[in-house]
């Protein structure tokens, strides 16, 4: 606990200092939620109150995504820095005072008169005029063009429309190269031409309020920059109905643009495949005994990858069942099984079933060898590795291995003797049951009395061995 801290009562009756520059230069242009987040964050910083993103969201009654958006906005304005995204941490920066620009009244006299005439029911304050002067100076947009945008917004929203809204529209238009009266006229005509299309789109996505200028700007981007027609846009809207309006539809179309899907037919095929992927992921998840709120990560990380490897859907469902019965109840565990089947070229349900049946029969054979050696234990992975080496690598027949197992079963370490004996038989090229029965196994057994044999010892130089075993991982070592 801190040595000194403010009590809750002190915090309730204390003060938080808010820079006047924030109120005059930043607050008028920011969303209410963003201002709320900035001030509450400033309160926490000023009073050294610890908090988390979740607590901040609950205390301000703002969704977590909105809190993040707010501080991302203030970071763009240079007022804060996002120090960390996980956990989410903010550092407040000092508000830099910029020199106040001075404007000659004579230069803007006609503009002031025209702007005031657009608001007959209220007097335009000097601070509002100043914002328009600064905008014109920064963007080099003609003053008459700005007045046309003000009039357009009033026709759309009424005389109660706030100047931050007008300047937001003007900034969007200026960013797309609109600077003159002719540019503004053309853009408004374009809006009017597209009004029926944007109305249909708004209806398709469930938007009940008026279509905003920013929505119309998105429509122009979709059609002119990205190349979508109204039919494809309306179909894409079915992915975004009642889910975030035009901005959500923009994200959907952005995804289709990156996938090079421009027609409604291509989108339908994508949706069909996407639905199939979802159903497959849902089925696999259920068979593994799992549950996920969203399957997007599962589809992207596992299911799509498995299908791209060439697996049939039925094969993946079969592997899921096999995993569950083998007490493997995670996607990571099932992925290991999938990779194993892929390595062995088993990509269909029949191939998977045949391979599993072969493994079961192999385990039965190994189990019979263990019993011959006088044990009743279960088969383990080391046994399987040994058996694979004896049969597939060394080339012994199962009958030969059974015969040798019977001859060494009397030893206490019978498995070691079986390995040793098969190794010595391999040196003699005795692999079949006939060759093994002819060989004098007993005389060659490890505990038999050794004959005096002249063995020429060899030593190897570093140069001879260099490059022969470049890495210990190159050796296929069987774990016991």
């Amino acid at each position: 606990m801190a040595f000194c801290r403010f009590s809750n009562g002190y915090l309730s009756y204390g003060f938080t200092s808010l820079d006047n520059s924030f109120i005059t230069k930043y607050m008028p242009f920011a969303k209410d939620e963003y201002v709320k987040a900035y001030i509450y964050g400033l309160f926490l910083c000023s009073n050294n109150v610890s908090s988390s993103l979740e607590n901040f969201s609950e205390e301000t009654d703002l969704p977590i995504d909105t809190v993040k958006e707010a501080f991302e906005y203030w970071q763009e304005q240079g007022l804060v820095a996002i120090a960390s995204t996980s956990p989410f941490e903010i550092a407040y920066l000092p508000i830099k005072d910029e020199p106040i620009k001075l404007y000659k009244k004579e230069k803007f006299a006609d503009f002031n008169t025209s702007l005031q005439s657009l608001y007959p029911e209220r007097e335009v304050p000097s601070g509002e005029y100043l914002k328009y002067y600064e905008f014109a100076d920064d963007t080099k947009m003609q003053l008459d063009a700005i007045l046309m945008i003000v009039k357009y917004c009033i026709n759309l929203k009424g005389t109660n429309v706030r100047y931050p809204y007008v300047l937001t529209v003007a900034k969007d238009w200026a960013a797309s190269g609109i600077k003159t009266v002719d540019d503004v006229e053309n853009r408004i005509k374009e809006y009017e031409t597209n009004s029926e299309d944007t109305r249909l789109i708004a209806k398709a996505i469930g938007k009940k309020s008026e279509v905003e200028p920013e929505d119309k700007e998105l429509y122009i981007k979709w059609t002119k920059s990205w190349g979508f027609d109204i039919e494809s846009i309306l179909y894409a809207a079915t992915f975004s109905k009642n889910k975030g309006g035009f901005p959500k539809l923009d994200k959907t179309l952005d995804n289709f643009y990156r996938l090079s899907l421009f027609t409604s037919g291509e989108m339908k095929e994508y949706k069909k495949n996407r639905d199939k992927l979802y159903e497959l992921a849902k089925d696999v998840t259920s068979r593994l005994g799992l549950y996920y709120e969203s399957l997007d990560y599962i589809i992207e990380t596992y299911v799509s990858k498995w299908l791209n490897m060439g697996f049939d859907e039925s094969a993946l469902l079969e592997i899921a069942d096999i995993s569950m019965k083998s007490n493997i109840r995670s996607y990571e565990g099932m992925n290991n099984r999938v990779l194993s089947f892929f390595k062995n070229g088993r990509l269909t349900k029949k191939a998977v079933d045949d391979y599993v049946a072969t493994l079961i029969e192999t385990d039965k054979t190994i189990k019979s060898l263990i019993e011959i050696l006088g044990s009743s234990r279960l088969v383990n992975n080391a046994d399987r590795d040994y058996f694979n080496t004896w049969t597939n690598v060394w080339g012994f027949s199962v009958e030969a291995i059974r015969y040798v197992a019977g001859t060494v079963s009397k030893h206490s370490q019978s498995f070691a003797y079986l390995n040793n004996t098969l190794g010595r038989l391999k040196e003699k090229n005795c692999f079949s049951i006939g060759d093994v029965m002819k060989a004098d196994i007993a005389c060659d057994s490890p505990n038999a009395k050794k004959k005096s044999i002249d063995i020429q010892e060899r030593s190897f130089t570093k140069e001879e061995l260099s490059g022969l075993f470049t890495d210990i991982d190159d050796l296929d070592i069987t774990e016991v």
Side-chain angles (χ1 to χ4, degrees):
M1 179 179 291
F3 176 67
C4 297
R5 66 183 180 87
F6 290 114
S7 68
N8 292 335
Y10 183 92
L11 293 176
S12 298
Y13 293 98
F15 299 92
T16 297
S17 178
L18 187 64
D19 197 307
N20 287 337
S21 296
F22 174 80
I23 297 174
T24 59
K25 296 181 179 180
Y26 297 95
M27 188 177 72
F29 296 98
K31 293 182 179 179
D32 293 344
E33 296 87 349
Y34 295 178
V35 174
K36 183 178 182 181
Y38 180 87
I39 294 175
Y40 191 73
L42 187 64
F43 158 75
L44 296 178
C45 290
S46 301
N47 297 285
N48 293 321
V49 179
S50 61
S51 185
S52 65
L53 181 60
E54 292 73 17
N55 290 340
F56 193 104
S57 171
E58 183 177 350
E59 291 159 3
T60 57
D61 194 28
L62 294 173
I64 287 178
D65 288 344
T66 301
V67 174
K68 289 183 177 180
E69 288 174 6
F71 285 111
E72 287 169 357
Y73 172 81
W74 291 123
Q75 179 172 249
E76 291 176 357
Q77 304 304 311
L79 301 191
V80 304
I82 299 177
S84 170
T85 56
S86 182
F88 198 73
E89 295 179 356
I90 301 300
Y92 274 70
L93 303 175
I95 298 179
K96 298 179 180 179
D97 290 327
E98 298 177 357
I100 299 175
K101 294 181 180 180
L102 299 177
Y103 298 96
K104 294 181 179 180
K105 292 183 179 180
E106 297 79 12
K107 178 181 178 181
F108 296 97
D110 291 341
F111 175 82
N112 293 352
T113 302
S114 299
L115 182 63
Q116 180 61 71
S117 67
L118 295 174
Y119 293 99
E121 298 177 359
R122 70 176 180 88
E123 183 178 352
V124 178
S126 58
E128 188 169 331
Y129 285 125
L130 182 60
K131 295 299 180 184
Y132 285 112
Y133 301 163
E134 291 176 344
F135 174 77
D137 191 32
D138 291 340
T139 63
K140 310 305 179 187
M141 182 180 285
Q142 293 178 356
L143 292 175
D144 287 343
I146 295 174
L147 288 170
M148 290 182 66
I149 295 175
V150 175
K151 186 175 181 180
Y152 170 77
C153 291
I154 289 175
N155 292 336
L156 188 68
K157 295 286 187 178
T159 54
N160 290 327
V161 64
R162 297 170 57 196
Y163 74 88
Y165 177 87
V166 176
L167 288 180
T168 298
V169 174
K171 285 180 180 178
D172 286 342
W173 290 16
S176 61
I178 296 175
K179 301 293 179 69
T180 67
V181 170
D182 289 341
D183 293 338
V184 173
E185 285 181 344
N186 292 334
R187 179 50 55 96
I188 293 174
K189 288 178 181 178
E190 193 170 21
Y191 278 1
E192 292 172 352
T193 302
N194 300 330
S195 60
E196 179 61 20
D197 286 349
T198 53
R199 187 188 66 79
L200 290 174
I201 294 170
K203 182 179 180 181
I205 60 177
K207 181 181 175 71
K208 297 180 181 179
S209 57
E210 289 289 333
V211 177
E212 303 290 343
E214 54 265 33
D215 300 333
K216 296 177 181 179
E217 283 294 314
L218 288 176
Y219 175 82
I220 292 173
K221 179 180 72 173
W222 300 336
T223 53
K224 285 194 170 183
S225 299
W226 289 356
F228 292 103
D229 59 23
I230 183 62
E231 181 185 357
S232 60
I233 295 173
L234 289 174
Y235 182 77
T238 62
F239 290 77
S240 310
K241 188 173 180 62
N242 300 320
K243 294 180 181 178
F246 275 78
K248 175 64 176 178
L249 177 55
D250 182 54
K251 291 181 180 179
T252 301
L253 287 170
D254 179 52
N255 183 52
F256 284 138
Y257 178 76
R258 286 185 286 106
L259 293 171
S260 297
L261 304 175
F262 295 100
T263 68
S264 58
E266 291 170 337
M267 294 177 188
K268 287 176 183 177
E269 188 65 25
Y270 170 85
K271 187 175 188 298
K272 178 182 176 182
N273 293 333
R274 182 71 181 177
D275 290 344
K276 288 176 63 178
L277 280 174
Y278 181 85
E279 289 302 319
L280 177 58
K282 183 178 178 182
D283 202 350
V284 170
T285 301
S286 175
R287 295 186 185 216
L288 290 174
L290 302 172
Y291 172 78
Y292 293 94
E293 188 74 26
S294 172
L295 293 173
D296 291 341
Y297 174 79
I298 297 300
I299 291 172
E300 180 180 344
T301 307
Y302 295 107
V303 177
S304 292
K305 183 182 73 174
W306 295 340
L307 291 174
N308 288 336
M309 291 167 69
F311 281 94
D312 290 347
E313 292 183 16
S314 57
L316 293 175
L317 295 175
E318 183 71 2
I319 296 173
D321 287 337
I322 292 170
S323 298
M324 181 66 172
K325 292 174 183 177
S326 305
N327 292 319
I328 297 172
R329 300 179 182 179
S330 70
Y331 266 97
E332 185 177 356
M334 178 176 165
N335 186 56
N336 291 333
R337 298 276 68 75
V338 170
L339 294 177
S340 176
F341 283 112
F342 180 78
K343 182 179 179 181
N344 288 280
R346 313 289 177 156
L347 307 181
T348 66
K349 182 179 183 302
K350 183 179 184 306
V352 168
D353 288 341
D354 289 346
Y355 184 62
V356 172
T358 301
L359 293 178
I360 292 173
E361 288 302 315
T362 300
D363 267 18
K364 288 180 180 179
T365 301
I366 297 172
K367 178 65 175 174
S368 69
L369 292 173
I370 293 173
E371 291 172 350
I372 291 173
L373 293 172
S375 176
S376 59
R377 66 175 176 80
L378 298 176
V379 177
N380 58 41
N381 285 332
D383 300 329
R384 298 184 182 102
D385 289 339
Y386 286 141
F387 187 80
N388 179 64
T389 300
W390 300 335
T391 55
N392 295 326
V393 180
W394 290 358
F396 284 98
S397 66
V398 174
E399 293 78 7
I401 298 172
R402 281 201 177 99
Y403 177 82
V404 175
T407 65
V408 301
S409 60
K410 60 183 178 293
H411 297 290
S412 59
Q413 294 182 327
S414 52
F415 229 94
Y417 279 98
L418 177 56
N419 254 328
N420 184 278
T421 304
L422 289 173
R424 287 182 286 108
L425 287 169
K426 179 179 181 297
E427 292 176 11
K428 296 181 177 183
N429 292 320
C430 297
F431 299 106
S432 67
I433 180 64
D435 291 340
V436 169
M437 291 178 70
K438 293 176 184 178
D440 188 0
I441 299 175
C443 291
D444 286 340
S445 62
N447 61 348
K449 187 176 180 180
K450 297 185 180 292
K451 298 178 181 179
S452 176
I453 303 175
D454 182 19
I455 300 177
Q456 182 180 2
E457 293 186 0
R458 282 210 59 188
S459 62
F460 303 95
T461 67
K462 182 178 180 180
E463 288 74 17
E464 288 177 317
L465 295 176
S466 178
L468 185 59
F469 301 118
T470 57
D471 194 314
I472 192 64
D473 292 334
D474 292 339
L475 297 176
D476 186 11
I477 300 176
T478 301
E479 295 183 1
V480 181

